């Protein structure tokens, strides 16, 4: 590259902006925030935490409230709320559904790093070999172990000895 040439068009990965509340009294909000952070960290997805309860963050709180959806019965949208740059992605419930459906990258509008799981299409490592299937079929036809015999020690005890071993009610 020379001096006058522009840099290649590879944009740095945008951090997912998560609006949180650092002093929420709600266990549901705290658990949702923590779960989002844990999942994104485990996937190596860059994130930026914005604590709307911190002093001086009123403008960020207003931006979140203006763009995010509020649930029915709520006066304002509550954290956690997720954004990719200025694009609103969703709240915790949306995040959770996307994660469970293996659509997290699409939900966050980021490139997919792992291949998508397709139901009904087995993974390479889990395909049973033909020999294994035949062995399983044979094993089902023959019992693994004969039924256990009754314990001879309890049968040979006299009735009085068996009763002495068990506690008796108070007389």
């Amino acid at each position: 590259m020379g001096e006058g040439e522009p840099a290649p068009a590879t944009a740095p990965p945008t951090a997912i902006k998560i609006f949180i509340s650092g002093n929420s009294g709600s266990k549901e909000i705290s658990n949702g925030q923590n779960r989002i952070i844990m999942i994104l960290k485990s996937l190596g997805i860059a994130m930026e935490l914005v604590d709307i309860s911190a002093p001086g963050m009123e403008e960020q709180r207003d931006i979140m409230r203006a763009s995010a959806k509020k649930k029915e019965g709520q006066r304002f949208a509550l954290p956690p709320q997720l954004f990719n740059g200025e694009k609103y992605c969703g709240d915790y419930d949306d995040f959770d559904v996307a994660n469970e459906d293996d659509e997290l990258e699409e939900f966050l509008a980021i490139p997919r790093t792992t291949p998508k799981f397709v139901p009904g299409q087995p993974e390479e490592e889990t395909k049973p070999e033909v020999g294994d299937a035949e062995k399983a079929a044979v094993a089902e036809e023959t019992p693994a172990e004969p039924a256990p015999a009754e314990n001879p020690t309890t049968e040979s005890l006299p009735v009085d000895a068996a009763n002495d071993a068990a506690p008796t009610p108070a007389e």
Side-chain angles (χ1 to χ4, degrees):
M1 282 191 284
E3 275 186 49
E5 294 178 31
T10 55
T14 305
I16 301 302
K17 191 182 285 191
I18 308 169
F19 288 90
I20 64 168
S21 176
N23 64 0
S24 174
S26 168
K27 202 74 160 153
E28 182 181 355
I29 288 175
S30 297
N31 288 343
Q33 293 172 167
N34 292 335
R35 184 155 191 262
I36 289 171
I37 293 167
M38 178 189 66
I39 291 170
L40 293 182
K41 275 185 181 178
S42 72
L43 295 173
I45 297 173
M47 66 185 120
E48 174 190 350
L49 299 178
V50 179
D51 185 354
I52 62 168
S53 64
M57 298 300 283
E58 292 81 15
E59 185 179 334
Q60 290 294 321
R61 183 189 64 223
D62 294 341
I63 290 170
M64 181 203 78
R65 287 180 175 173
S67 302
K69 69 176 181 182
K70 61 181 181 178
K71 292 183 181 176
E72 190 173 321
Q74 290 180 340
R75 214 169 123 188
F76 301 110
L78 298 176
Q81 299 289 336
L82 294 101
F83 287 77
N84 184 342
E86 300 300 316
K87 180 187 175 290
Y88 177 66
C89 297
D91 62 3
Y92 172 74
D93 292 334
D94 299 329
F95 175 89
D96 191 44
V97 169
N99 184 48
E100 293 298 321
D101 292 345
D102 192 25
E103 295 177 350
L104 194 55
E105 287 90 348
E106 292 84 356
F107 167 74
L108 297 171
I110 59 174
R112 183 172 272 283
T113 56
T114 58
K116 187 170 181 170
F117 175 75
V118 179
Q121 186 178 34
E123 296 178 21
E124 291 298 318
E125 299 85 35
T126 59
K127 284 186 180 177
E129 294 180 16
V130 175
D132 292 341
E134 291 171 0
K135 289 176 190 174
V138 171
E140 288 177 8
E141 293 173 7
T142 57
E145 291 183 28
E150 290 189 32
N151 190 349
T153 56
T154 56
E155 287 181 4
S156 63
L157 289 176
V159 173
D160 292 340
N163 289 339
D164 288 342
T168 57
E171 294 178 19

